[in-house]
Amino acid sequence: MLDMQFKYKRTIEFLELQKPFSPQVVIILGSGLGDFAESINTVKSISTSDIPDYPVSTVTGHSGKIHFSIYKDVKILLFQGRIHFYEGYKLNQCMLPVFLAHQLGCKTVLLTNAAGGVNPNLTPGDLMLNTSFNSIFIKKELTGLLGLASIEIKNQQIDFPSSRLEQIIKKAAVEENISLKEGVYWYGKGPSYETPAEIKMTSKFGGDAVGMSTAHEAIYALSLKMEVASISCITNYAAGISTEKLSHDEVTATANLVKSHFERLLKRIITYLD
Ligand code: HPA
């Protein structure tokens, strides 16, 4: 089992020195959703390239910054950009944001991601609360990393999304007049988008939306006993659901279109996270 404390000792020490406050909530912003960081009060921003041993983000739309921000008195650690397995990083590197958030004192984790709509009831632009996720493609890596913790998580009823967060998120959506969809997030390793046949399989196995992140972050956070929820921004129809060709540009363009919805929802959620 990997000793994250040992491996990321320098990273933790650096952030402990730099942090302007101890954050309560961590939010990881998915592809194209990073602008949220500019819409709330930033107390301190740090480029991830300045953080010792922090992997460099290589994906367009992931700016590679972390922010210590405050909204309605809630102290937030924001990751503007995440680390993906498909970029060639190890899974422990992909879980670093969650690990660091936990080290800095966060108890609540809000994950956001861009995802392709598999369920025909999902339309690009929709926001979808993740009711569960599939992580079968990374089980081996997760078990290697977390040891028995990952197996325990699998074998017991996990609180995902955390019932408290689920209530808050649904209430926030109603108050903001946002129609919030619900469904299963299906993790695919990437880096290429899926084939229509893979999407057909995903649908048969109960996946509603497909993306290349989040599942391992959620599992890791759950193993650290943090409360977790995740929200997908449906940026495109998954392969074969429509005749449109898929592209990362489409993903960021749709995420841009729903930016204001997304920001309103997140802000409203935060007001309930004290
Ligand atoms: N597939 C996988 N990941 C994604 C997609 C998709 O269609 N859209 C956004 N992220």
Side-chain angles (χ1 to χ4, degrees):
M1 211 170 123
L2 182 79
D3 187 343
M4 296 280 277
Q5 296 259 1
F6 180 72
K7 183 169 167 67
Y8 292 109
K9 190 166 175 286
R10 291 195 317 148
T11 321
I12 302 165
E13 280 169 4
F14 175 85
L15 287 174
E16 285 289 354
L17 273 176
Q18 295 287 327
K19 70 173 185 193
F21 52 70
S22 293
Q24 309 152 245
V25 178
V26 56
I27 305 179
I28 302 186
L29 297 165
S31 283
L33 302 172
D35 286 357
F36 176 76
E38 273 89 55
S39 79
I40 59 173
N41 173 28
T42 308
V43 177
K44 182 165 188 168
S45 297
I46 303 173
S47 261
T48 51
S49 54
D50 294 334
I51 305 177
D53 299 328
Y54 200 97
V56 180
S57 178
T58 61
V59 187
T60 317
H62 287 254
S63 85
K65 280 204 182 100
I66 70 169
H67 306 275
F68 290 85
S69 306
I70 296 189
Y71 184 71
K72 303 271 182 199
D73 291 336
V74 180
K75 299 192 180 79
I76 307 163
L77 176 62
L78 267 179
F79 284 82
Q80 196 177 25
R82 56 155 53 91
I83 306 149
H84 297 88
F85 202 45
Y86 66 70
E87 292 175 86
Y89 291 118
K90 298 225 163 75
L91 212 59
N92 73 70
Q93 292 174 294
C94 302
M95 306 205 290
L96 189 55
V98 173
F99 171 73
L100 294 173
H102 182 253
Q103 287 291 313
L104 293 175
C106 294
K107 302 254 182 307
T108 303
V109 186
L110 274 179
L111 304 169
T112 70
N113 58 61
V118 173
N119 187 319
N121 295 327
L122 293 170
T123 311
D126 279 346
L127 297 176
M128 184 189 93
L129 174 68
N130 300 169
T131 50
S132 185
F133 50 80
N134 142 68
S135 62
I136 50 175
F137 303 127
I138 43 171
K139 263 200 170 43
K140 191 177 115 215
E141 291 87 347
L142 280 168
T143 311
L145 261 179
L146 304 177
L148 280 179
S150 73
I151 296 164
E152 274 165 22
I153 287 168
K154 289 287 156 34
N155 286 345
Q156 56 184 305
Q157 277 297 86
I158 55 170
D159 190 26
F160 179 87
S162 104
S163 32
R164 184 179 90 104
L165 290 180
E166 180 178 1
Q167 269 186 9
I168 287 177
I169 292 169
K170 286 183 176 168
K171 182 163 69 167
V174 170
E175 286 171 359
E176 287 297 333
N177 211 6
I178 290 170
S179 136
L180 181 70
K181 303 279 174 69
E182 287 180 56
V184 172
Y185 177 89
W186 189 271
Y187 172 82
K189 261 184 180 167
S192 54
Y193 290 114
E194 302 71 24
T195 66
E198 287 160 359
I199 292 302
K200 227 180 205 170
M201 179 198 75
T202 305
S203 166
K204 286 200 168 142
F205 283 177
D208 295 300
V210 63
M212 304 177 196
S213 65
T214 303
H216 43 295
E217 296 161 351
I219 290 183
Y220 187 48
L222 288 164
S223 81
L224 296 172
K225 311 260 186 285
M226 298 161 96
E227 58 167 4
V228 192
S230 63
I231 299 171
S232 299
C233 169
I234 305 301
T235 48
N236 56 282
Y237 290 108
I241 302 292
S242 93
T243 47
E244 292 283 308
K245 199 171 171 295
L246 275 173
S247 72
H248 187 65
D249 287 348
E250 185 194 354
V251 170
T252 37
T254 313
N256 245 332
L257 281 179
V258 290
K259 213 163 74 178
S260 69
H261 259 59
F262 174 76
E263 284 181 12
R264 277 197 289 119
L265 180 63
L266 266 192
K267 283 181 178 167
R268 179 71 70 162
I269 293 169
I270 294 166
T271 57
Y272 293 114
L273 298 178
D274 41 29

